C-alpha cells in the first residue's frame, strides 16, 4: 500500500516538476546571456559605487551631503538611513561587490515576478521564472542592473506588504522601510491611510475576516511607525546629516540632475522638455498636485471595489509621475504592470513595446543638454513611460475592468 501511495504521489508531482525544471533552465540561460551582455557593454554600476562611498563616508564620520563620488562627482541624494544600510558595502572589494550586487538583483527580480503573479492572481508552478527570464531584458530592469540600483529591492519590499494575507501583523513594515530608504514609496502608506479613512467613514469600522479593525489603517500605521523608527535611529547615529537632509537637502531637486534629462521619466521631465526649460516651475507643481489627487482617488476607488492589483499599480504609477525625478530605472514597476496587463491580454503587446524597445534612448541626449531642443516626435519618444503610466491611471479611474475582481485581502492562500 505504501508503494502505491508513493507511486501515486510521484505521478502527480512529475507533471509539475517538468515545467518548473524547463522554466528554471530558461531563466538560468536568460540570466547568463544577460550577464554576458552586461559585461560586454562594460557597465559601470556607478550608483553602486556611490552607495559604497556613502557607507565609507558614514564610517569615516565625514559630511554625508558634501560627499562627491566617482568621476561624475555624484552627490548623496537618499535619506541618512540609506547610508547606514550601505556601510557593509565598504567591507567588500569592488569586483566582489559588483558580482554580489548583480546576483542579488537577479534573485530580487525572480521575487518581484513571483509577487507580481500573486498580485494578479496568476500564480503557477514555474511562472515566476518565465516572467523573470523575459523581464530582465526590459529597459528599466536592464538599467537598474547596469547602475547597480536598489529599485528591485524597494519594489519587492512594497509588494511583499501588499500581497500578504489580511491582517498580517507585520504588513506595512516593508513600505515603512522602503520609504525610509527612499521617500517615493511613502505614497503607498498614504494610499492605505486614505482607503482606511474612506472605508471607516462609509461603513464604520469594518472587521475583515481575520484582520481585526480596519486593516488599511492598521497597515498604514505600521508603515508610519517603521518609517519613523528607522528615521529616528538614523538621526541618533547621524544627527548633523539628518538635520541637513530634512531641512534643506530634501528640497534641492536640482541636486539629482537636470530636469529635462531623457532619463527623467516623470511629469517634471516631460514638462521641462515640452517647455524647453530646465525648470518648469509652477506648471509642474500644478500638474503634479492634480495627478496626485486623481491618481490616489482612482487607486482608493479601485481598492474599495476589490481590485487590489489595479489599485497598487495605479498608486505606483502616480508616485512615479509626481516625483520630481523618476529615472527610467525607477519604472521597474513595469514588471507587475506587464504581468497584470498580459493576464488580461489587453494592450499587452503595446506595453511590452514601450518598456522593451528602449525607444526613449533613440532621441539626442547627453552632453550639451540636447533635450531642451527636442522636436515633437522626440518629445513623444522621451515621454513613453509617463504616457503609459498616465494611460493606466486613467483606465483605472474610468471604471472597473471586465471579469471578476480580485479580493483585496485574500490575494493568496499561503501568503
Amino acid at each position: 500500500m505504501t508503494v502505491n501511495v508513493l507511486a501515486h504521489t510521484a505521478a502527480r508531482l512529475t507533471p509539475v516538476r517538468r515545467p518548473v525544471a524547463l522554466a528554471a533552465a530558461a531563466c538560468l540561460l536568460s540570466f547568463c546571456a544577460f550577464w554576458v551582455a552586461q559585461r560586454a557593454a562594460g557597465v559601470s554600476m556607478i550608483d553602486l559605487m556611490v552607495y559604497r562611498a556613502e557607507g565609507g563616508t558614514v564610517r569615516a564620520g565625514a559630511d554625508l551631503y558634501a560627499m562627491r563620488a566617482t568621476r561624475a562627482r555624484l552627490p548623496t541624494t537618499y535619506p541618512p538611513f540609506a547610508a547606514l544600510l550601505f556601510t557593509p558595502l565598504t567591507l567588500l572589494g569592488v569586483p566582489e561587490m559588483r558580482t554580489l550586487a548583480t546576483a542579488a538583483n537577479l534573485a530580487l527580480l525572480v521575487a518581484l515576478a513571483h509577487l507580481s503573479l500573486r498580485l494578479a492572481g496568476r500564480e503557477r508552478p514555474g511562472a515566476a521564472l518565465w516572467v523573470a527570464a523575459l523581464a530582465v531584458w526590459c529597459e528599466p530592469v536592464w538599467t537598474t542592473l547596469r547602475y547597480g540600483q536598489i529599485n528591485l529591492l524597494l519594489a519587492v519590499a512594497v509588494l511583499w506588504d501588499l500581497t500578504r494575507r489580511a491582517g498580517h501583523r507585520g504588513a506595512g513594515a516593508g513600505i515603512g522601510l522602503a520609504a525610509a530608504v527612499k521617500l517615493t514609496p511613502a505614497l503607498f502608506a498614504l494610499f492605505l491611510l486614505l482607503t482606511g479613512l474612506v472605508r471607516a467613514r462609509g461603513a464604520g469600522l469594518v472587521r475583515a475576516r481575520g484582520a481585526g479593525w480596519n486593516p488599511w489603517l492598521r497597515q498604514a500605521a505600521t508603515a508610519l511607525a517603521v518609517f519613523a523608527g528607522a528615521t529616528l535611529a538614523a538621526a541618533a547615529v547621524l544627527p548633523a546629516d539628518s538635520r541637513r537632509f530634512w531641512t534643506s537637502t530634501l528640497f534641492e531637486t536640482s541636486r539629482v540632475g537636470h530636469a529635462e534629462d531623457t532619463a527623467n521619466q516623470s511629469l517634471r521631465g516631460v514638462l521641462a522638455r515640452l517647455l524647453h526649460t530646465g525648470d518648469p516651475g509652477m506648471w509642474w507643481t500644478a500638474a503634479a498636485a492634480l495627478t496626485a489627487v486623481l491618481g490616489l482617488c482612482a487607486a482608493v476607488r479601485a481598492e474599495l471595489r476589490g481590485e487590489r492589483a489595479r489599485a497598487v499599480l495605479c498608486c505606483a504609477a502616480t508616485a512615479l509621475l509626481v516625483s520630481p525625478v523618476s529615472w527610467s530605472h525607477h519604472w521597474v514597476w513595469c514588471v507587475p504592470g506587464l504581468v497584470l496587463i498580459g493576464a488580461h491580454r489587453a494592450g499587452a503587446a503595446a506595453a511590452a513595446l514601450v518598456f522593451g524597445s528602449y525607444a526613449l534612448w533613440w532621441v539626442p541626449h547627453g552632453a550639451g543638454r540636447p533635450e531642451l531642443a527636442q522636436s515633437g516626435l522626440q518629445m513623444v519618444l522621451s515621454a513613453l513611460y509617463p504616457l503609459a503610466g498616465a494611460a493606466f491611471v486613467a483606465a483605472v479611474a474610468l471604471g472597473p475592468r471586465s471579469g471578476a475582481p480580485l479580493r483585496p485581502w485574500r490575494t493568496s492562500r499561503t501568503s
Side-chain angles (χ1 to χ4, degrees), residues 141-155:
V141 177
W142 168 280
T143 310
T144 287
L145 275 90
R146 172 190 175 189
Y147 292 143
Q149 263 282 344
I150 58 172
N151 307 303
L152 291 168
L153 176 62
L154 299 180

Side-chain angles (χ1 to χ4, degrees), residues 35-405:
W35 196 299
V36 171
Q38 288 251 306
R39 294 304 173 269
V43 296
S44 64
M45 302 192 80
I46 190 171
D47 288 344
L48 182 62
M49 299 303 295
V50 175
Y51 300 157
R52 189 173 191 269
E54 291 180 25
T57 302
V58 169
R59 293 187 64 187
D63 188 338
L64 184 61
Y65 295 99
M67 181 214 75
R68 293 294 184 274
T70 74
R71 292 181 180 179
R73 295 189 57 77
L74 297 176
T76 302
T77 58
Y78 293 170
F81 179 70
L84 289 178
L85 297 183
F86 295 147
T87 53
L89 296 178
T90 62
L91 304 177
L92 301 170
V94 171
E96 294 81 6
M97 178 185 68
R98 289 178 172 176
T99 299
L100 287 174
T102 301
N105 264 328
L106 290 174
L108 285 167
L109 177 59
V110 175
L112 180 62
H114 170 71
L115 293 173
S116 299
L117 289 162
R118 179 188 293 179
L119 181 71
R122 292 294 188 272
E123 288 182 277
R124 299 290 187 277
L129 295 171
W130 284 112
V131 171
L134 296 173
V136 73
W137 299 100
C138 291
E139 191 276 337
V141 177
W142 168 280
T143 310
T144 287
L145 275 90
R146 172 190 175 189
Y147 292 143
Q149 263 282 344
I150 58 172
N151 307 303
L152 291 168
L153 176 62
L154 299 180
V156 166
V158 171
L159 272 190
W160 180 64
D161 267 351
L162 295 173
T163 56
R164 301 172 85 178
R165 69 175 182 270
H168 193 288
R169 290 185 179 277
I175 293 173
L177 285 173
V181 172
K182 190 174 183 179
L183 296 179
T184 308
L187 197 70
F188 288 96
L190 181 57
F191 153 69
L192 291 169
L193 174 63
L194 292 174
T195 304
L197 291 175
V198 171
R199 184 63 168 170
R201 181 179 180 183
L205 292 176
V206 178
R207 183 179 292 276
R209 185 171 59 183
W213 294 110
N214 202 316
W216 296 277
L217 290 181
R218 180 176 180 175
Q219 194 167 3
T222 300
L224 177 60
V226 171
F227 169 79
T231 301
L232 290 174
V237 178
L238 303 170
D241 291 324
S242 295
R243 181 169 57 252
R244 179 173 176 180
F245 177 81
W246 294 107
T247 60
S248 61
T249 305
L250 172 62
F251 308 103
E252 298 172 7
T253 55
S254 61
R255 182 184 182 88
V256 182
H258 297 303
E260 77 279 359
D261 195 314
T262 298
N264 186 10
Q265 294 291 294
S266 69
L267 284 176
R268 184 166 173 260
V270 172
L271 288 172
R273 294 186 287 270
L274 181 64
L275 300 174
H276 304 293
T277 177
D279 183 13
M282 291 302 297
W283 287 104
W284 167 67
T285 303
L290 180 61
T291 302
V293 171
L294 294 178
L296 283 171
C297 286
V300 169
R301 182 168 174 260
E303 175 73 359
L304 293 176
R305 287 198 305 260
E307 299 177 344
R308 166 56 64 92
R310 284 162 61 92
V312 169
L313 293 175
C314 182
C315 185
T318 301
L320 291 165
L321 288 170
V322 304
S323 175
V325 176
S326 291
W327 300 127
S328 68
H329 50 79
H330 294 169
W331 287 79
V332 292
W333 283 94
C334 71
V335 175
L338 289 170
V339 167
L340 179 65
I341 294 171
H344 299 287
R345 301 176 184 177
L353 186 63
V354 167
F355 294 103
S357 66
Y358 297 69
L360 73 160
W361 297 113
W362 298 355
V363 305
H365 60 276
R369 304 177 72 177
E371 293 93 340
L372 291 176
Q374 285 186 346
S375 65
L377 177 59
Q378 290 170 345
M379 288 183 190
V380 172
L381 289 176
S382 62
L384 284 177
Y385 295 1
L387 288 173
F392 185 84
V393 171
V396 174
L398 290 176
R401 62 171 170 81
S402 59

